[in-house]
Amino acid sequence: MNYSHLEKNEILLSKAISTHSDNPDALRWYVRVACEDFPGRAPRICEHAIGSMIHFGPDNLHVLVGALIDAGEEMPPNVLWLMCKEGFLIGEVAPQVVDLMGCILKSDKPVSLYEVESTLHVAQIVGCNDVVELLSNYIETQRERQKENICSALSGAQFKSSIGRKI
């Protein structure tokens, strides 16, 4: 990934996040600093830190993503996959990670359906049943919403069409 778009201070903050990722309080503080000092840039700063943090396990990533949600920020790309990566290697994902994934899916700024589907496929392959259930339910709910939106749009178009004919 190319992070040349990050300024020097943003890169330094990202390094501080990743080096203090074993301390949840410090991690939350650094995320808050990123949100306050670099408005709108916190997700990119945290995304830069995530690469190093993955090596420390999913708990640290759980804290980082939780802090971003608490601050009302967008999620870095592929966050569901990143949260599950360690668990996928052993075929089990920690319950707190599954809970946080549920929070992400319910947030105002959800992840892309493509990311949800691709994470679901890997979860199915490795047998992470909690993740499979969560993501399957989410996809089903999204498809139902799409169906309702399409039906309501078509109903509205037919109604407008019939009014136009009567006039």
Side-chain angles (χ1 to χ4, degrees):
M1 290 185 189
N2 181 5
Y3 293 103
S4 60
H5 60 279
L6 291 180
E7 296 175 8
K8 182 180 178 183
N9 288 337
E10 292 172 332
I11 291 172
L12 292 173
L13 182 55
S14 173
K15 288 181 180 178
I17 290 171
S18 62
T19 56
H20 290 88
S21 64
D22 59 341
N23 182 338
D25 292 330
L27 189 56
R28 286 185 191 91
W29 184 81
Y30 278 118
V31 170
R32 192 173 73 238
V33 168
C35 294
E36 292 173 359
D37 291 356
F38 303 99
R41 306 279 292 161
R44 287 198 177 159
I45 294 167
C46 292
E47 180 185 351
H48 185 257
I50 284 173
S52 301
M53 292 178 64
I54 288 174
H55 302 292
F56 300 114
D59 290 340
N60 301 315
L61 190 55
H62 173 268
V63 172
L64 175 77
V65 171
L68 282 170
I69 288 175
D70 291 344
E73 292 288 342
E74 292 181 19
M75 296 298 104
N78 305 312
V79 72
L80 295 180
W81 163 257
L82 292 170
M83 291 178 70
C84 293
K85 184 179 178 189
E86 295 298 317
F88 284 167
L89 295 174
I90 60 171
E92 184 180 359
V93 175
Q96 71 268 24
V97 174
V98 177
D99 291 343
L100 183 59
M101 287 174 66
C103 291
I104 291 169
L105 294 173
K106 292 174 188 171
S107 72
D108 293 339
K109 299 175 183 177
V111 294
S112 73
L113 197 54
Y114 172 78
E115 181 183 346
V116 174
E117 289 173 343
S118 61
T119 305
L120 171 64
H121 291 304
V122 176
Q124 289 170 326
I125 291 168
V126 299
C128 289
N129 295 330
D130 291 345
V131 176
V132 169
E133 182 180 348
L134 175 71
L135 299 181
S136 295
N137 291 340
Y138 177 79
I139 290 171
E140 186 177 314
T141 301
Q142 293 305 309
R143 287 186 178 147
E144 281 298 316
R145 284 186 187 156
Q146 284 179 333
K147 180 181 172 184
E148 290 171 9
N149 290 341
I150 291 170
C151 288
S152 116
L154 289 174
S155 296
Q158 289 172 350
F159 178 72
K160 289 177 186 175
S161 175
S162 66
I163 290 176
R165 283 189 219 132
K166 289 181 183 178
I167 295 177

